[in-house]
Amino acid sequence: MVFSSAAIFCNWSAVILNGSYRGIVENRYLAVSLSLPLAALVFGLHAIINWRPWLEKLFAAAIAVFIAVCAFIPQPPSDVYQDTMNAIPFLREVMKKNHIAEGLISYWQSNLFTFLSGGSVTLRSITDDGVVNHLFNSMYWYGQGRPPGDATHFRLIIVPTDDMRAAFGPPDQVLEAPGQMTVWVYPEARSIRYDEFFGNLLLSTHFTGGDHTWLMNAAELPTRSGQVAGTSLLATAGKSGEDLLTYGPYLELRPGKYRAVYRYQYLAPPAPDRVATYDLFVHTDDEDDQSLDPAPLPCPDTGPQVFTDTFTVTRSKQTFEMRINFHGSGTLRVDSLSVTRLGP
């Protein structure tokens, strides 16, 4: 009884960890699970009944056969299984036509497609907001520990979300796979790749300076008080609220020394006591979030300006934002943010 329970528990754990539980094996494991109460009842009776030796052996064999039948009785294919099998030929053709080796999809479906396609439709797991799923995946799949040129360039996203569009921008092609699965295809020039220094999947167009500098136009950053003006963000007194003009980009930086650089311009000077301010906001796993390096964004004149913050990351599993807070005075345009790894 203990052995049977342990075997079922281990199998449940395995299918959940490898992402293949949903839609394929739940009926089979449900059948096995439902057999356990009956088995427990019978084994309980066995403990209080004085069996003859040969009858005890016969009974144990019958119970073993019963559990085996529950475990291996054929189950009808589920809808998720059928949808996956129907989508595989379509996705295989799309990937072949566009010279795509691997794609991205949610956790529950990544290994499902990879396994059922025999590796011809290899998909890796991401969360709904476009972040690498660290739960079970080998980071080597994404490129960690490999030379920058050898890292996988992802150009296919299946069942994308609005947050993924915000992170990676609009795709080149939008297709519809069987099973009502939306498919995004990106060009090689805007491929998505993992960077181990910045700890996330990022657009290749955001990297400069030999892969040690990450660069993003301000219009690509989230905002609470600004308006998009070309590739910049603009905040104007009387029109924009006193709130964050930029926040994000939620970089999971490895330990080392970094430099964040904002390029900005005051089109109309603010009141001296209401200049915009900068801070480095750190999210940690233990929820002990911190606002570090607070500083005003100087306005010596109305020409282009550069603000620099050099900081050190001392431990892993921290997510960083570089934020600018607009205080409702003057007109401020933020053009870009870059983050450079300076060294260990």
Side-chain angles (χ1 to χ4, degrees):
M1 180 65 183
V2 173
F3 173 80
S4 299
S5 301
I8 293 170
F9 175 78
C10 290
N11 277 278
W12 270 102
S13 302
V15 294
I16 290 174
L17 285 175
N18 69 27
S20 64
Y21 161 73
R22 194 174 147 205
I24 291 184
V25 296
E26 66 265 38
N27 292 336
R28 187 182 312 282
Y29 284 92
L30 180 62
V32 177
S33 298
L34 291 177
S35 73
L36 288 181
L38 177 60
L41 175 63
V42 172
F43 277 105
L45 292 174
H46 169 265
I48 61 176
I49 296 177
N50 186 21
W51 298 84
R52 293 184 179 182
W54 66 269
L55 188 58
E56 182 177 358
K57 293 178 181 178
L58 179 63
F59 174 75
I63 290 295
V65 170
F66 174 75
I67 293 178
V69 169
C70 290
F72 294 102
I73 189 171
Q75 297 292 327
S78 69
D79 291 341
V80 174
Y81 174 84
Q82 294 285 21
D83 288 344
T84 302
M85 295 303 293
N86 291 337
I88 283 174
F90 176 87
L91 295 174
R92 185 187 294 122
E93 185 61 29
V94 169
M95 295 173 76
K96 180 180 178 181
K97 180 180 177 181
N98 291 276
H99 307 287
I100 297 173
E102 299 179 21
L104 299 167
I105 197 171
S106 70
Y107 159 73
W108 286 110
Q109 295 171 289
S110 57
N111 284 4
L112 188 60
F113 274 94
T114 303
F115 175 77
L116 292 179
S117 69
S120 62
V121 178
T122 300
L123 302 178
R124 302 308 185 194
S125 173
I126 54 174
T127 61
D128 288 344
D129 54 359
V131 176
V132 167
N133 194 316
H134 294 273
L135 180 60
F136 70 94
N137 282 332
S138 165
M139 297 308 296
Y140 188 82
W141 292 348
Y142 301 95
Q144 182 169 302
R146 302 190 316 206
D150 190 39
T152 302
H153 286 210
F154 296 102
R155 296 170 42 224
L156 184 84
I157 300 179
I158 303 171
V159 194
T161 64
D162 290 340
D163 286 338
M164 292 179 195
R165 177 182 287 271
F168 308 127
D172 234 25
Q173 304 175 51
V174 178
L175 308 173
E176 195 75 20
Q180 297 182 326
M181 296 182 185
T182 301
V183 179
W184 285 0
V185 179
Y186 287 81
E188 178 59 36
R190 293 175 53 242
S191 60
I192 301 162
R193 67 178 176 84
Y194 177 80
D195 185 273
E196 58 181 311
F197 289 134
F198 295 98
N200 211 341
L201 290 166
L202 302 167
L203 277 176
S204 56
T205 53
H206 288 161
F207 288 94
T208 62
D211 295 317
H212 293 298
T213 296
W214 176 88
L215 174 67
M216 178 177 266
N217 291 322
E220 299 175 88
L221 291 168
T223 182
R224 293 179 185 168
S225 64
Q227 294 81 42
V228 174
T231 58
S232 304
L233 283 174
L234 188 69
T236 305
K239 295 182 180 179
S240 304
E242 296 187 37
D243 207 335
L244 292 171
L245 176 54
T246 68
Y247 62 100
Y250 304 103
L251 297 175
E252 189 176 315
L253 303 175
R254 290 182 62 189
K257 193 173 183 179
Y258 294 84
R259 180 178 60 233
V261 176
Y262 262 116
R263 298 187 180 275
Y264 67 97
Q265 183 175 1
Y266 283 101
L267 304 181
D273 60 343
R274 298 178 69 188
V275 295
T277 53
Y278 164 89
D279 76 332
L280 179 71
F281 198 80
V282 186
H283 301 268
T284 60
D285 282 351
D286 56 13
E287 298 184 359
D288 185 21
D289 298 345
Q290 300 179 64
S291 176
L292 306 175
D293 302 346
L297 246 61
C299 179
D301 53 51
T302 55
Q305 308 293 331
V306 175
F307 177 87
T308 301
D309 177 29
T310 300
F311 60 95
T312 300
V313 178
T314 57
R315 62 189 180 98
S316 57
K317 295 188 177 179
Q318 293 179 309
T319 304
F320 291 81
E321 296 185 69
M322 296 82 189
R323 312 189 305 182
I324 293 178
N325 209 330
F326 181 69
H327 297 294
S329 181
T331 299
L332 174 60
R333 187 187 71 206
V334 178
D335 297 319
S336 65
L337 167 66
S338 66
V339 181
T340 301
R341 180 177 170 85
L342 302 177

mmCIF file with all atom_site columns, all heavy atoms in Angstrom, residues 19 27 36 44 72 76 98 110 125-126 139 144 168 174 177 183 191 199 206 214 236 244 293:
data_model
loop_
_atom_site.group_PDB
_atom_site.id
_atom_site.type_symbol
_atom_site.label_atom_id
_atom_site.label_alt_id
_atom_site.label_comp_id
_atom_site.label_asym_id
_atom_site.label_entity_id
_atom_site.label_seq_id
_atom_site.pdbx_PDB_ins_code
_atom_site.Cartn_x
_atom_site.Cartn_y
_atom_site.Cartn_z
_atom_site.occupancy
_atom_site.B_iso_or_equiv
_atom_site.pdbx_formal_charge
_atom_site.auth_seq_id
_atom_site.auth_comp_id
_atom_site.auth_asym_id
_atom_site.auth_atom_id
_atom_site.pdbx_PDB_model_num
ATOM 1   N N   . GLY A 1 19  ? 5.641   19.502 -16.986 1.00 0.00 ? 19  GLY A N   1
ATOM 2   C CA  . GLY A 1 19  ? 4.671   20.297 -17.729 1.00 0.00 ? 19  GLY A CA  1
ATOM 3   C C   . GLY A 1 19  ? 3.756   19.500 -18.632 1.00 0.00 ? 19  GLY A C   1
ATOM 4   O O   . GLY A 1 19  ? 3.071   20.079 -19.474 1.00 0.00 ? 19  GLY A O   1
ATOM 5   N N   . ASN A 1 27  ? -6.633  11.690 -16.676 1.00 0.00 ? 27  ASN A N   1
ATOM 6   C CA  . ASN A 1 27  ? -7.654  10.646 -16.543 1.00 0.00 ? 27  ASN A CA  1
ATOM 7   C C   . ASN A 1 27  ? -7.050  9.352  -16.017 1.00 0.00 ? 27  ASN A C   1
ATOM 8   O O   . ASN A 1 27  ? -7.628  8.658  -15.176 1.00 0.00 ? 27  ASN A O   1
ATOM 9   C CB  . ASN A 1 27  ? -8.320  10.406 -17.893 1.00 0.00 ? 27  ASN A CB  1
ATOM 10  C CG  . ASN A 1 27  ? -9.158  11.592 -18.326 1.00 0.00 ? 27  ASN A CG  1
ATOM 11  O OD1 . ASN A 1 27  ? -9.603  12.368 -17.500 1.00 0.00 ? 27  ASN A OD1 1
ATOM 12  N ND2 . ASN A 1 27  ? -9.346  11.746 -19.627 1.00 0.00 ? 27  ASN A ND2 1
ATOM 13  N N   . LEU A 1 36  ? -7.396  3.845  -4.828  1.00 0.00 ? 36  LEU A N   1
ATOM 14  C CA  . LEU A 1 36  ? -6.722  3.798  -3.534  1.00 0.00 ? 36  LEU A CA  1
ATOM 15  C C   . LEU A 1 36  ? -7.674  3.642  -2.342  1.00 0.00 ? 36  LEU A C   1
ATOM 16  O O   . LEU A 1 36  ? -7.377  2.872  -1.418  1.00 0.00 ? 36  LEU A O   1
ATOM 17  C CB  . LEU A 1 36  ? -5.839  5.036  -3.361  1.00 0.00 ? 36  LEU A CB  1
ATOM 18  C CG  . LEU A 1 36  ? -4.568  5.051  -4.220  1.00 0.00 ? 36  LEU A CG  1
ATOM 19  C CD1 . LEU A 1 36  ? -3.767  6.314  -3.935  1.00 0.00 ? 36  LEU A CD1 1
ATOM 20  C CD2 . LEU A 1 36  ? -3.711  3.823  -3.925  1.00 0.00 ? 36  LEU A CD2 1
ATOM 21  N N   . GLY A 1 44  ? -7.244  -2.720 5.162   1.00 0.00 ? 44  GLY A N   1
ATOM 22  C CA  . GLY A 1 44  ? -7.666  -2.571 6.546   1.00 0.00 ? 44  GLY A CA  1
ATOM 23  C C   . GLY A 1 44  ? -8.360  -3.823 7.053   1.00 0.00 ? 44  GLY A C   1
ATOM 24  O O   . GLY A 1 44  ? -8.127  -4.273 8.183   1.00 0.00 ? 44  GLY A O   1
ATOM 25  N N   . PHE A 1 72  ? -3.226  1.218  -16.403 1.00 0.00 ? 72  PHE A N   1
ATOM 26  C CA  . PHE A 1 72  ? -2.897  1.070  -17.825 1.00 0.00 ? 72  PHE A CA  1
ATOM 27  C C   . PHE A 1 72  ? -4.105  0.933  -18.740 1.00 0.00 ? 72  PHE A C   1
ATOM 28  O O   . PHE A 1 72  ? -3.939  0.784  -19.954 1.00 0.00 ? 72  PHE A O   1
ATOM 29  C CB  . PHE A 1 72  ? -1.979  -0.141 -18.022 1.00 0.00 ? 72  PHE A CB  1
ATOM 30  C CG  . PHE A 1 72  ? -0.638  0.034  -17.381 1.00 0.00 ? 72  PHE A CG  1
ATOM 31  C CD1 . PHE A 1 72  ? -0.343  -0.584 -16.179 1.00 0.00 ? 72  PHE A CD1 1
ATOM 32  C CD2 . PHE A 1 72  ? 0.325   0.841  -17.968 1.00 0.00 ? 72  PHE A CD2 1
ATOM 33  C CE1 . PHE A 1 72  ? 0.887   -0.413 -15.574 1.00 0.00 ? 72  PHE A CE1 1
ATOM 34  C CE2 . PHE A 1 72  ? 1.563   1.021  -17.368 1.00 0.00 ? 72  PHE A CE2 1
ATOM 35  C CZ  . PHE A 1 72  ? 1.853   0.397  -16.176 1.00 0.00 ? 72  PHE A CZ  1
ATOM 36  N N   . PRO A 1 76  ? -9.387  7.730  -23.553 1.00 0.00 ? 76  PRO A N   1
ATOM 37  C CA  . PRO A 1 76  ? -9.601  8.480  -24.805 1.00 0.00 ? 76  PRO A CA  1
ATOM 38  C C   . PRO A 1 76  ? -8.760  9.751  -24.822 1.00 0.00 ? 76  PRO A C   1
ATOM 39  O O   . PRO A 1 76  ? -8.538  10.371 -23.770 1.00 0.00 ? 76  PRO A O   1
ATOM 40  C CB  . PRO A 1 76  ? -11.100 8.809  -24.755 1.00 0.00 ? 76  PRO A CB  1
ATOM 41  C CG  . PRO A 1 76  ? -11.440 8.783  -23.304 1.00 0.00 ? 76  PRO A CG  1
ATOM 42  C CD  . PRO A 1 76  ? -10.577 7.726  -22.687 1.00 0.00 ? 76  PRO A CD  1
ATOM 43  N N   . ASN A 1 98  ? 10.435  29.764 -41.906 1.00 0.00 ? 98  ASN A N   1
ATOM 44  C CA  . ASN A 1 98  ? 11.085  30.965 -41.375 1.00 0.00 ? 98  ASN A CA  1
ATOM 45  C C   . ASN A 1 98  ? 12.445  30.691 -40.743 1.00 0.00 ? 98  ASN A C   1
ATOM 46  O O   . ASN A 1 98  ? 13.027  31.576 -40.121 1.00 0.00 ? 98  ASN A O   1
ATOM 47  C CB  . ASN A 1 98  ? 10.167  31.627 -40.342 1.00 0.00 ? 98  ASN A CB  1
ATOM 48  C CG  . ASN A 1 98  ? 8.924   32.230 -40.954 1.00 0.00 ? 98  ASN A CG  1
ATOM 49  O OD1 . ASN A 1 98  ? 8.933   33.340 -41.439 1.00 0.00 ? 98  ASN A OD1 1
ATOM 50  N ND2 . ASN A 1 98  ? 7.830   31.464 -40.929 1.00 0.00 ? 98  ASN A ND2 1
ATOM 51  N N   . SER A 1 110 ? 4.930   23.873 -23.059 1.00 0.00 ? 110 SER A N   1
ATOM 52  C CA  . SER A 1 110 ? 6.241   23.829 -23.715 1.00 0.00 ? 110 SER A CA  1
ATOM 53  C C   . SER A 1 110 ? 6.737   22.397 -23.924 1.00 0.00 ? 110 SER A C   1
ATOM 54  O O   . SER A 1 110 ? 7.032   21.991 -25.055 1.00 0.00 ? 110 SER A O   1
ATOM 55  C CB  . SER A 1 110 ? 7.256   24.644 -22.919 1.00 0.00 ? 110 SER A CB  1
ATOM 56  O OG  . SER A 1 110 ? 7.344   24.159 -21.589 1.00 0.00 ? 110 SER A OG  1
ATOM 57  N N   . SER A 1 125 ? 9.795   27.446 -22.216 1.00 0.00 ? 125 SER A N   1
ATOM 58  C CA  . SER A 1 125 ? 8.747   27.995 -21.357 1.00 0.00 ? 125 SER A CA  1
ATOM 59  C C   . SER A 1 125 ? 9.031   29.431 -20.926 1.00 0.00 ? 125 SER A C   1
ATOM 60  O O   . SER A 1 125 ? 10.152  29.773 -20.544 1.00 0.00 ? 125 SER A O   1
ATOM 61  C CB  . SER A 1 125 ? 8.624   27.116 -20.112 1.00 0.00 ? 125 SER A CB  1
ATOM 62  O OG  . SER A 1 125 ? 7.755   27.691 -19.182 1.00 0.00 ? 125 SER A OG  1
ATOM 63  N N   . ILE A 1 126 ? 7.982   30.276 -20.993 1.00 0.00 ? 126 ILE A N   1
ATOM 64  C CA  . ILE A 1 126 ? 8.031   31.617 -20.429 1.00 0.00 ? 126 ILE A CA  1
ATOM 65  C C   . ILE A 1 126 ? 6.742   31.887 -19.667 1.00 0.00 ? 126 ILE A C   1
ATOM 66  O O   . ILE A 1 126 ? 5.721   31.253 -19.903 1.00 0.00 ? 126 ILE A O   1
ATOM 67  C CB  . ILE A 1 126 ? 8.224   32.719 -21.507 1.00 0.00 ? 126 ILE A CB  1
ATOM 68  C CG1 . ILE A 1 126 ? 7.144   32.608 -22.598 1.00 0.00 ? 126 ILE A CG1 1
ATOM 69  C CG2 . ILE A 1 126 ? 9.595   32.689 -22.093 1.00 0.00 ? 126 ILE A CG2 1
ATOM 70  C CD1 . ILE A 1 126 ? 7.189   33.752 -23.595 1.00 0.00 ? 126 ILE A CD1 1
ATOM 71  N N   . MET A 1 139 ? 18.546  26.351 -17.769 1.00 0.00 ? 139 MET A N   1
ATOM 72  C CA  . MET A 1 139 ? 18.852  27.651 -18.343 1.00 0.00 ? 139 MET A CA  1
ATOM 73  C C   . MET A 1 139 ? 19.775  27.531 -19.550 1.00 0.00 ? 139 MET A C   1
ATOM 74  O O   . MET A 1 139 ? 19.894  28.453 -20.343 1.00 0.00 ? 139 MET A O   1
ATOM 75  C CB  . MET A 1 139 ? 19.470  28.568 -17.281 1.00 0.00 ? 139 MET A CB  1
ATOM 76  C CG  . MET A 1 139 ? 18.534  28.876 -16.118 1.00 0.00 ? 139 MET A CG  1
ATOM 77  S SD  . MET A 1 139 ? 16.917  29.479 -16.652 1.00 0.00 ? 139 MET A SD  1
ATOM 78  C CE  . MET A 1 139 ? 17.395  30.999 -17.449 1.00 0.00 ? 139 MET A CE  1
ATOM 79  N N   . GLN A 1 144 ? 22.308  30.272 -21.217 1.00 0.00 ? 144 GLN A N   1
ATOM 80  C CA  . GLN A 1 144 ? 23.185  30.526 -20.081 1.00 0.00 ? 144 GLN A CA  1
ATOM 81  C C   . GLN A 1 144 ? 24.371  29.569 -20.117 1.00 0.00 ? 144 GLN A C   1
ATOM 82  O O   . GLN A 1 144 ? 24.223  28.374 -20.312 1.00 0.00 ? 144 GLN A O   1
ATOM 83  C CB  . GLN A 1 144 ? 22.424  30.349 -18.764 1.00 0.00 ? 144 GLN A CB  1
ATOM 84  C CG  . GLN A 1 144 ? 23.272  30.653 -17.530 1.00 0.00 ? 144 GLN A CG  1
ATOM 85  C CD  . GLN A 1 144 ? 22.431  30.727 -16.268 1.00 0.00 ? 144 GLN A CD  1
ATOM 86  O OE1 . GLN A 1 144 ? 21.503  31.514 -16.181 1.00 0.00 ? 144 GLN A OE1 1
ATOM 87  N NE2 . GLN A 1 144 ? 22.743  29.889 -15.296 1.00 0.00 ? 144 GLN A NE2 1
ATOM 88  N N   . PHE A 1 168 ? 8.478   42.728 -25.943 1.00 0.00 ? 168 PHE A N   1
ATOM 89  C CA  . PHE A 1 168 ? 9.206   42.402 -27.164 1.00 0.00 ? 168 PHE A CA  1
ATOM 90  C C   . PHE A 1 168 ? 8.755   43.188 -28.395 1.00 0.00 ? 168 PHE A C   1
ATOM 91  O O   . PHE A 1 168 ? 9.350   43.059 -29.465 1.00 0.00 ? 168 PHE A O   1
ATOM 92  C CB  . PHE A 1 168 ? 9.081   40.898 -27.455 1.00 0.00 ? 168 PHE A CB  1
ATOM 93  C CG  . PHE A 1 168 ? 9.445   40.016 -26.303 1.00 0.00 ? 168 PHE A CG  1
ATOM 94  C CD1 . PHE A 1 168 ? 8.578   39.038 -25.850 1.00 0.00 ? 168 PHE A CD1 1
ATOM 95  C CD2 . PHE A 1 168 ? 10.660  40.172 -25.649 1.00 0.00 ? 168 PHE A CD2 1
ATOM 96  C CE1 . PHE A 1 168 ? 8.902   38.219 -24.778 1.00 0.00 ? 168 PHE A CE1 1
ATOM 97  C CE2 . PHE A 1 168 ? 11.001  39.364 -24.572 1.00 0.00 ? 168 PHE A CE2 1
ATOM 98  C CZ  . PHE A 1 168 ? 10.125  38.392 -24.138 1.00 0.00 ? 168 PHE A CZ  1
ATOM 99  N N   . VAL A 1 174 ? 1.429   37.674 -37.779 1.00 0.00 ? 174 VAL A N   1
ATOM 100 C CA  . VAL A 1 174 ? 0.476   37.126 -36.821 1.00 0.00 ? 174 VAL A CA  1
ATOM 101 C C   . VAL A 1 174 ? -0.303  36.027 -37.533 1.00 0.00 ? 174 VAL A C   1
ATOM 102 O O   . VAL A 1 174 ? -1.002  36.287 -38.508 1.00 0.00 ? 174 VAL A O   1
ATOM 103 C CB  . VAL A 1 174 ? -0.488  38.197 -36.279 1.00 0.00 ? 174 VAL A CB  1
ATOM 104 C CG1 . VAL A 1 174 ? -1.495  37.565 -35.318 1.00 0.00 ? 174 VAL A CG1 1
ATOM 105 C CG2 . VAL A 1 174 ? 0.272   39.320 -35.591 1.00 0.00 ? 174 VAL A CG2 1
ATOM 106 N N   . ALA A 1 177 ? -2.916  29.178 -35.644 1.00 0.00 ? 177 ALA A N   1
ATOM 107 C CA  . ALA A 1 177 ? -2.701  27.738 -35.739 1.00 0.00 ? 177 ALA A CA  1
ATOM 108 C C   . ALA A 1 177 ? -3.981  27.003 -35.385 1.00 0.00 ? 177 ALA A C   1
ATOM 109 O O   . ALA A 1 177 ? -4.876  27.568 -34.746 1.00 0.00 ? 177 ALA A O   1
ATOM 110 C CB  . ALA A 1 177 ? -1.571  27.317 -34.805 1.00 0.00 ? 177 ALA A CB  1
ATOM 111 N N   . VAL A 1 183 ? -0.144  32.813 -33.163 1.00 0.00 ? 183 VAL A N   1
ATOM 112 C CA  . VAL A 1 183 ? 1.293   32.612 -33.323 1.00 0.00 ? 183 VAL A CA  1
ATOM 113 C C   . VAL A 1 183 ? 1.926   33.913 -33.812 1.00 0.00 ? 183 VAL A C   1
ATOM 114 O O   . VAL A 1 183 ? 1.470   34.503 -34.795 1.00 0.00 ? 183 VAL A O   1
ATOM 115 C CB  . VAL A 1 183 ? 1.591   31.477 -34.336 1.00 0.00 ? 183 VAL A CB  1
ATOM 116 C CG1 . VAL A 1 183 ? 3.100   31.297 -34.511 1.00 0.00 ? 183 VAL A CG1 1
ATOM 117 C CG2 . VAL A 1 183 ? 0.938   30.180 -33.891 1.00 0.00 ? 183 VAL A CG2 1
ATOM 118 N N   . SER A 1 191 ? 15.123  39.401 -33.106 1.00 0.00 ? 191 SER A N   1
ATOM 119 C CA  . SER A 1 191 ? 14.961  38.141 -32.391 1.00 0.00 ? 191 SER A CA  1
ATOM 120 C C   . SER A 1 191 ? 15.070  38.370 -30.880 1.00 0.00 ? 191 SER A C   1
ATOM 121 O O   . SER A 1 191 ? 15.569  39.395 -30.413 1.00 0.00 ? 191 SER A O   1
ATOM 122 C CB  . SER A 1 191 ? 16.025  37.136 -32.843 1.00 0.00 ? 191 SER A CB  1
ATOM 123 O OG  . SER A 1 191 ? 17.323  37.635 -32.582 1.00 0.00 ? 191 SER A OG  1
ATOM 124 N N   . GLY A 1 199 ? 19.793  38.646 -17.019 1.00 0.00 ? 199 GLY A N   1
ATOM 125 C CA  . GLY A 1 199 ? 18.906  37.677 -16.405 1.00 0.00 ? 199 GLY A CA  1
ATOM 126 C C   . GLY A 1 199 ? 17.515  37.583 -16.993 1.00 0.00 ? 199 GLY A C   1
ATOM 127 O O   . GLY A 1 199 ? 16.579  37.261 -16.278 1.00 0.00 ? 199 GLY A O   1
ATOM 128 N N   . HIS A 1 206 ? 18.248  45.557 -28.528 1.00 0.00 ? 206 HIS A N   1
ATOM 129 C CA  . HIS A 1 206 ? 18.521  46.377 -27.348 1.00 0.00 ? 206 HIS A CA  1
ATOM 130 C C   . HIS A 1 206 ? 19.964  46.275 -26.870 1.00 0.00 ? 206 HIS A C   1
ATOM 131 O O   . HIS A 1 206 ? 20.329  46.913 -25.895 1.00 0.00 ? 206 HIS A O   1
ATOM 132 C CB  . HIS A 1 206 ? 17.593  45.980 -26.196 1.00 0.00 ? 206 HIS A CB  1
ATOM 133 C CG  . HIS A 1 206 ? 16.177  46.407 -26.413 1.00 0.00 ? 206 HIS A CG  1
ATOM 134 N ND1 . HIS A 1 206 ? 15.124  45.843 -25.732 1.00 0.00 ? 206 HIS A ND1 1
ATOM 135 C CD2 . HIS A 1 206 ? 15.638  47.334 -27.234 1.00 0.00 ? 206 HIS A CD2 1
ATOM 136 C CE1 . HIS A 1 206 ? 13.984  46.400 -26.136 1.00 0.00 ? 206 HIS A CE1 1
ATOM 137 N NE2 . HIS A 1 206 ? 14.278  47.305 -27.035 1.00 0.00 ? 206 HIS A NE2 1
ATOM 138 N N   . TRP A 1 214 ? 22.803  47.250 -22.439 1.00 0.00 ? 214 TRP A N   1
ATOM 139 C CA  . TRP A 1 214 ? 21.413  47.087 -22.832 1.00 0.00 ? 214 TRP A CA  1
ATOM 140 C C   . TRP A 1 214 ? 20.814  48.480 -22.997 1.00 0.00 ? 214 TRP A C   1
ATOM 141 O O   . TRP A 1 214 ? 20.938  49.321 -22.113 1.00 0.00 ? 214 TRP A O   1
ATOM 142 C CB  . TRP A 1 214 ? 20.684  46.297 -21.747 1.00 0.00 ? 214 TRP A CB  1
ATOM 143 C CG  . TRP A 1 214 ? 19.216  46.125 -21.954 1.00 0.00 ? 214 TRP A CG  1
ATOM 144 C CD1 . TRP A 1 214 ? 18.582  45.141 -22.644 1.00 0.00 ? 214 TRP A CD1 1
ATOM 145 C CD2 . TRP A 1 214 ? 18.189  46.969 -21.433 1.00 0.00 ? 214 TRP A CD2 1
ATOM 146 N NE1 . TRP A 1 214 ? 17.227  45.313 -22.580 1.00 0.00 ? 214 TRP A NE1 1
ATOM 147 C CE2 . TRP A 1 214 ? 16.956  46.435 -21.843 1.00 0.00 ? 214 TRP A CE2 1
ATOM 148 C CE3 . TRP A 1 214 ? 18.201  48.130 -20.656 1.00 0.00 ? 214 TRP A CE3 1
ATOM 149 C CZ2 . TRP A 1 214 ? 15.749  47.012 -21.514 1.00 0.00 ? 214 TRP A CZ2 1
ATOM 150 C CZ3 . TRP A 1 214 ? 16.985  48.712 -20.329 1.00 0.00 ? 214 TRP A CZ3 1
ATOM 151 C CH2 . TRP A 1 214 ? 15.780  48.149 -20.752 1.00 0.00 ? 214 TRP A CH2 1
ATOM 152 N N   . THR A 1 236 ? 4.277   66.947 -19.034 1.00 0.00 ? 236 THR A N   1
ATOM 153 C CA  . THR A 1 236 ? 4.084   68.399 -19.078 1.00 0.00 ? 236 THR A CA  1
ATOM 154 C C   . THR A 1 236 ? 3.247   68.848 -17.897 1.00 0.00 ? 236 THR A C   1
ATOM 155 O O   . THR A 1 236 ? 2.221   68.225 -17.580 1.00 0.00 ? 236 THR A O   1
ATOM 156 C CB  . THR A 1 236 ? 3.382   68.809 -20.390 1.00 0.00 ? 236 THR A CB  1
ATOM 157 O OG1 . THR A 1 236 ? 4.134   68.300 -21.506 1.00 0.00 ? 236 THR A OG1 1
ATOM 158 C CG2 . THR A 1 236 ? 3.280   70.319 -20.521 1.00 0.00 ? 236 THR A CG2 1
ATOM 159 N N   . LEU A 1 244 ? 5.096   58.425 -11.679 1.00 0.00 ? 244 LEU A N   1
ATOM 160 C CA  . LEU A 1 244 ? 6.276   57.893 -12.348 1.00 0.00 ? 244 LEU A CA  1
ATOM 161 C C   . LEU A 1 244 ? 6.211   58.149 -13.852 1.00 0.00 ? 244 LEU A C   1
ATOM 162 O O   . LEU A 1 244 ? 5.283   57.696 -14.531 1.00 0.00 ? 244 LEU A O   1
ATOM 163 C CB  . LEU A 1 244 ? 6.397   56.394 -12.084 1.00 0.00 ? 244 LEU A CB  1
ATOM 164 C CG  . LEU A 1 244 ? 6.723   55.992 -10.639 1.00 0.00 ? 244 LEU A CG  1
ATOM 165 C CD1 . LEU A 1 244 ? 6.592   54.487 -10.456 1.00 0.00 ? 244 LEU A CD1 1
ATOM 166 C CD2 . LEU A 1 244 ? 8.123   56.457 -10.269 1.00 0.00 ? 244 LEU A CD2 1
ATOM 167 N N   . ASP A 1 293 ? 19.627  55.024 -4.040  1.00 0.00 ? 293 ASP A N   1
ATOM 168 C CA  . ASP A 1 293 ? 20.258  56.072 -4.862  1.00 0.00 ? 293 ASP A CA  1
ATOM 169 C C   . ASP A 1 293 ? 19.299  57.186 -5.276  1.00 0.00 ? 293 ASP A C   1
ATOM 170 O O   . ASP A 1 293 ? 19.316  57.611 -6.445  1.00 0.00 ? 293 ASP A O   1
ATOM 171 C CB  . ASP A 1 293 ? 20.892  55.452 -6.116  1.00 0.00 ? 293 ASP A CB  1
ATOM 172 C CG  . ASP A 1 293 ? 21.930  54.392 -5.789  1.00 0.00 ? 293 ASP A CG  1
ATOM 173 O OD1 . ASP A 1 293 ? 22.340  54.335 -4.619  1.00 0.00 ? 293 ASP A OD1 1
ATOM 174 O OD2 . ASP A 1 293 ? 22.318  53.643 -6.701  1.00 0.00 ? 293 ASP A OD2 1
#
